[in-house]
Amino acid sequence: MSNIPETGRTPRVQIRLIVIQVLVFSLLLTLGGRLWYLQIRNGQEYTDEAKNNHVQQVVDPAVRGSILDTRGVPLADNETRLVVSASRTELMKTKDDGKAVLTRLADVLDMKPKDVMYKVRLCDAKTPQPCWNGSPYQPIPVTDEATTQQALQIRERAEDFPGITAEPTAVRRYAAPGLANTAQVLGYLSPVTDEEITKALDTDSPYLRSDQVGRSGLERTYDKELRGKAGVTRYEVDNLGRVIGQAQNDEAQPGANVVTSIDARVQAVTEYELNEAMKAARKEMDRNTNEHYKADSGAAVVMEAKTGRVVAMASQPTYDPNSWVGGISAKEYARLTGKKSNFPLLNRAIQGQAAPGSIFKVISSTAAVNAGYKFNGNYPCPSSYNVGSQVFKNFESKGYGSITLGKALEVSCDTVFYGLAHKEWQKDGGTKPKKNAKNWFYTTAHQFGLGKETGIDLPNEVAGRVPDREWKQNFWEANKDGWCKQGKKGGTYVQQLAYEGCLEGNLMRAGDSVNYSIGQGDTLVTPIQMATIYSAIANGGTLYNPTVGKAVISADGKQVKEIAPKSHGKLPFDRKTRDQIDEALAGVATRGSAAWRFGGWPQDKIPMHAKTGTAEVYGKQTTSWFASYTKDYTIVMTIAQGGTGSGASGPAVRKIYESMYGLNAKGDQDVKKALMPQPRVALPRIQPDGSIDAPKVRPYEPERELPPDQQVLAGPPGTTTTRRD
């Protein structure tokens, strides 16, 4: 028996019981508090999360709207193709991160394994194209050109291709009706990025991970209208992923159709004639270099003179926008973005900048009148003009005696404008400008809309440049250090220029103003700017924002939103000056520098107005410019390193007009053959089922030229042919 008395055990037992009770009550209190927090305090939040954990979403992509020409012909629409896609999420679950699967897939698709792997790798700062710039959780298209046999192989051997699907899918198609490529105008699509998804979360048009978005051209400008709204079906599933019911269903809303002012037939003619003009220029010899002209790029714009609507817009070199559909290959991406191919992705009609040469003289003529010089006054046109020790020559060093501004436009006399610009430079104070300097020649260029964007509904338009005193100062400050390092007195031409720039590059010298007056020097314009200006001269002075979009029509055709022409200003001349310039430009086509290209033109029925331009660029061959208009249309064409304006661009511009008006080489008109004898006002009709009764477009077949002995190379009887500017 124990000698410990019973009374000694009791306090210890009681203490232990109390401790246990305290612990039990503490645990119960903690558990109760936690239960209150989960069910009462944050109950709704966790309830919602629990529901989401049991809901799976299935996205039904919206059908992207079509881009139509002015008659309803599809320029960009959709077609069903067999698309093979890869899921990175599933591929990453394999031991080798999907390398073996993609290698087998490449074998089935007759592709190189590295090309397939490039397409599914994610884009980042260190990864060059091609790569996937969309969401890593979204199926990545490998090809949209799979054959039925290839798709069957993938689906029948599903165990060999985990994460790979082959499904019929609607994909973008750039139809090129009548061989009208229209690449730079239409643009292309690529997958939405995570960054774009995040930015669009709080907007009225959020992105889904499956979305394709416009990256350039009309696809980008009207992306919101074209994209539509994807459908989402939400399914309730159990913890094993089995569907137990449908929670909600939002039907897909197809994108709207964008009707453009582009006419596919005129577009095809414009592209063809621009390309042919460039090929013809390459066969001609440059007298200055004794080499063939390179004619390495060019652009053309056809515009409605009274509205600013773009009927055709061509850019060379060009590309096939279908290259981007389904993901672009490494080889094709390198070609499209490489210097060797001369950057075909650029839309040179709105992004190509060059000195305008003599087509700028309509601005200089207006500036002279605004400065107080009479349009019909007499001004000397010698073969050359001296500014100090510098000699500025007329083209081909030809003089015309004392002539009016109108005649100076007709024969493109440089020295008339040299003299006027030099006088105004002196009045303004020369290299030491007065406080109240008028700067007429520069101010007028800004009033004509140069030095800023035209406002066309295409992305990435450039502004060009008016090299006025403010620009000279800013440019000098930005480049002074480099010029001072490079410059050398008495060195090479470039070193001497840098030396002079270092010392006084901020000064507006006499030579700068003289050269500027004929569209040379540091002046830069784009074809769309000059088309806008010549359209304004044609319509009486209104500068319109050029537009390609004409209307947005819902998929069922019930809702129509027209895109009305908008003006951004008036040209700075009165009616009298406008009419005098108009008459002079008609003279260019009948007896001036373009007469040899417009012999036999029916001037009495379709008055033609034109201006030729040949811009000199240091280190390169001359740039060809041709600006023209009728009462209906304006056409501007330019060819870099292509020669003279009337020599290289003039014939192509005439052929475009002939196709539009239905004229043959002799000037006889057949309205039945005319593609667009007047601007089209009506919109195409879209049926409730989305169908469009669009006419077919046949490829352009140019009329054969007359034999040399039957060609008319001069203007009407009694006229003379002058220089070929």
Side-chain angles (χ1 to χ4, degrees), residues 360 362-364 366-367 370 437-454 463-474 508 516 522-525 529-530 532-533 536 541 543 568-573:
F360 184 82
V362 293
I363 299 169
S364 295
T366 304
N370 291 346
K438 298 294 185 180
N439 294 314
W440 281 113
F441 280 79
Y442 300 97
T443 300
T444 303
H446 285 294
Q447 292 171 330
F448 267 72
L450 296 183
K452 60 183 178 183
E453 296 89 346
T454 63
R465 182 167 69 204
V466 176
D468 52 19
R469 295 182 190 276
E470 182 182 358
W471 177 83
K472 288 279 288 185
Q473 181 66 32
N474 294 337
M508 181 68 73
Y516 164 82
D522 293 314
T523 308
L524 292 177
V525 301
Q529 287 176 325
M530 299 313 296
T532 301
I533 287 171
L543 288 162
H568 62 265
K570 300 282 274 187
L571 293 184
F573 51 34

Side-chain angles (χ1 to χ4, degrees), residues 279-318:
K279 289 195 293 186
R282 295 184 195 119
K283 296 177 182 178
E284 298 294 326
M285 292 295 294
D286 180 359
R287 294 180 304 180
N288 297 319
T289 63
N290 289 323
E291 296 177 350
H292 286 95
Y293 284 107
K294 293 182 175 63
D296 52 1
S297 63
V301 177
V302 182
M303 182 184 289
E304 293 179 10
K306 296 177 182 177
T307 64
R309 298 192 189 281
V310 176
V311 178
M313 179 179 285
S315 178
Q316 285 285 349
T318 189

Side-chain angles (χ1 to χ4, degrees), residues 2-249:
S2 172
N3 294 325
I4 300 174
E6 291 293 330
T7 55
R9 295 180 181 177
T10 301
R12 294 180 186 176
V13 172
Q14 289 176 343
I15 291 171
R16 288 174 183 171
L17 288 173
I18 291 171
V19 170
I20 292 172
Q21 288 174 351
V22 170
L23 288 173
V24 170
F25 281 118
S26 297
L27 290 172
L28 289 173
L29 187 61
T30 302
L31 185 59
R34 183 60 176 167
L35 194 60
W36 174 86
Y37 180 82
L38 293 174
Q39 292 190 348
I40 307 300
R41 176 72 169 78
N42 279 14
Q44 188 60 45
E45 177 184 341
Y46 289 106
T47 299
D48 292 341
E49 286 194 15
K51 287 181 179 178
N52 289 335
N53 288 337
H54 290 83
V55 173
Q56 292 291 333
Q57 295 185 0
V58 176
V59 176
D60 178 22
V63 176
R64 192 172 180 86
S66 297
I67 300 176
L68 310 173
D69 90 336
T70 189
R71 300 190 303 157
V73 177
L75 300 173
D77 56 8
N78 307 290
E79 65 179 354
T80 301
R81 297 187 192 175
L82 280 172
V83 177
V84 175
S85 302
S87 169
R88 281 187 57 86
T89 304
E90 294 299 319
L91 292 175
M92 293 300 102
K93 294 178 181 178
T94 61
K95 292 182 179 179
D96 60 354
D97 294 336
K99 186 176 181 180
V101 175
L102 295 176
T103 302
R104 288 194 293 271
L105 180 63
D107 184 55
V108 171
L109 298 177
D110 295 325
M111 296 174 67
K112 294 180 180 179
K114 70 173 185 178
D115 290 340
V116 175
M117 292 175 191
Y118 283 170
K119 286 197 172 189
V120 300
R121 65 183 179 178
L122 300 181
C123 292
D124 57 32
K126 298 180 180 179
T127 304
Q129 287 280 356
C131 56
W132 178 250
N133 67 345
S135 169
Y137 305 105
Q138 178 183 336
I140 303 171
V142 176
T143 182
D144 61 0
E145 297 179 344
T147 65
T148 303
Q149 186 62 33
Q150 290 170 336
L152 286 173
Q153 285 188 58
I154 294 168
R155 300 188 72 167
E156 289 174 355
R157 296 164 50 197
E159 68 280 359
D160 292 335
F161 298 102
I164 306 299
T165 57
E167 302 287 347
T169 307
V171 297
R172 204 61 166 164
R173 180 185 73 132
Y174 298 97
L179 301 181
N181 194 32
T182 330
Q184 292 87 355
V185 176
L186 295 173
Y188 57 90
L189 305 175
S190 71
V192 66
T193 65
D194 284 344
E195 182 181 356
E196 288 169 328
I197 292 173
T198 302
K199 286 183 178 179
L201 284 176
D202 298 328
T203 68
D204 60 352
S205 183
Y207 290 116
L208 292 172
R209 293 192 182 278
S210 58
D211 279 338
Q212 296 267 323
V213 296
R215 294 300 176 195
S216 68
L218 295 171
E219 293 279 27
R220 176 173 169 181
T221 301
Y222 296 100
D223 181 72
K224 182 179 177 181
E225 292 83 354
L226 291 165
R227 185 161 26 101
K229 186 177 181 182
V232 179
T233 302
R234 299 169 180 83
Y235 293 100
E236 292 183 6
V237 298
D238 61 16
N239 58 353
L240 297 178
R242 294 173 298 194
V243 175
I244 59 177
Q246 184 172 317
Q248 191 177 351
N249 181 25

Side-chain angles (χ1 to χ4, degrees), residues 665-666 703-712:
K666 293 182 179 180
E703 183 178 325
R704 291 186 177 181
E705 291 188 357
L706 294 172
D709 60 335
Q710 297 182 35
Q711 290 183 9
V712 182

Side-chain angles (χ1 to χ4, degrees), residues 355-408:
S358 292
I359 67 169
F360 184 82
K361 289 174 182 173
V362 293
I363 299 169
S364 295
S365 297
T366 304
V369 172
N370 291 346
Y373 300 92
K374 292 182 179 180
F375 192 88
N376 288 324
N378 289 314
Y379 307 97
C381 176
S383 60
S384 63
Y385 187 88
N386 292 351
V387 178
S389 61
Q390 283 185 291
V391 179
F392 293 86
K393 294 184 178 181
N394 247 346
F395 190 84
E396 296 180 348
S397 298
K398 188 173 182 178
Y400 291 90
S402 183
I403 60 176
T404 65
L405 282 177
K407 190 65 176 180

Side-chain angles (χ1 to χ4, degrees), residues 447-633:
Q447 292 171 330
F448 267 72
L450 296 183
K452 60 183 178 183
E453 296 89 346
T454 63
I456 190 171
D457 55 343
L458 291 174
N460 303 319
E461 180 189 6
V462 298
R465 182 167 69 204
V466 176
D468 52 19
R469 295 182 190 276
E470 182 182 358
W471 177 83
K472 288 279 288 185
Q473 181 66 32
N474 294 337
F475 191 69
W476 178 71
E477 291 174 0
N479 293 278
K480 179 183 177 183
D481 292 342
W483 285 338
C484 292
K485 288 180 181 178
Q486 184 185 9
K488 181 181 178 182
K489 186 176 182 179
T492 63
Y493 178 73
V494 174
Q495 289 175 327
Q496 181 64 27
L497 282 180
Y499 173 77
E500 293 173 3
C502 172
L503 294 179
E504 53 180 20
N506 60 328
L507 300 180
M508 181 68 73
R509 294 167 293 189
D512 295 326
S513 288
V514 164
N515 216 18
Y516 164 82
S517 70
I518 63 163
Q520 295 282 177
D522 293 314
T523 308
L524 292 177
V525 301
T526 63
I528 196 66
Q529 287 176 325
M530 299 313 296
T532 301
I533 287 171
Y534 275 80
S535 288
I537 297 172
N539 68 40
T542 302
L543 288 162
Y544 282 104
N545 295 8
T547 53
V548 182
K550 192 174 181 180
V552 177
I553 304 179
S554 62
D556 58 8
K558 294 181 180 179
Q559 299 177 24
V560 179
K561 179 183 177 183
E562 293 195 44
I563 302 168
K566 293 181 180 179
S567 167
H568 62 265
K570 300 282 274 187
L571 293 184
F573 51 34
D574 57 22
R575 186 73 192 184
K576 180 181 178 182
T577 302
R578 179 266 165 197
D579 290 346
Q580 289 171 326
I581 292 175
D582 180 75
E583 183 180 352
L585 295 178
V588 173
T590 57
R591 56 184 179 268
S593 59
W596 71 295
R597 288 303 193 189
F598 279 86
W601 182 266
Q603 192 72 7
D604 56 335
K605 295 179 181 178
I606 308 171
M608 175 61 61
H609 306 75
K611 186 70 197 83
T612 57
T614 306
E616 297 176 354
V617 183
Y618 173 72
K620 292 186 177 182
Q621 296 166 318
T622 54
T623 300
S624 167
W625 283 94
F626 199 93
S628 62
Y629 64 84
T630 63
K631 64 181 178 63
D632 304 299
Y633 303 107

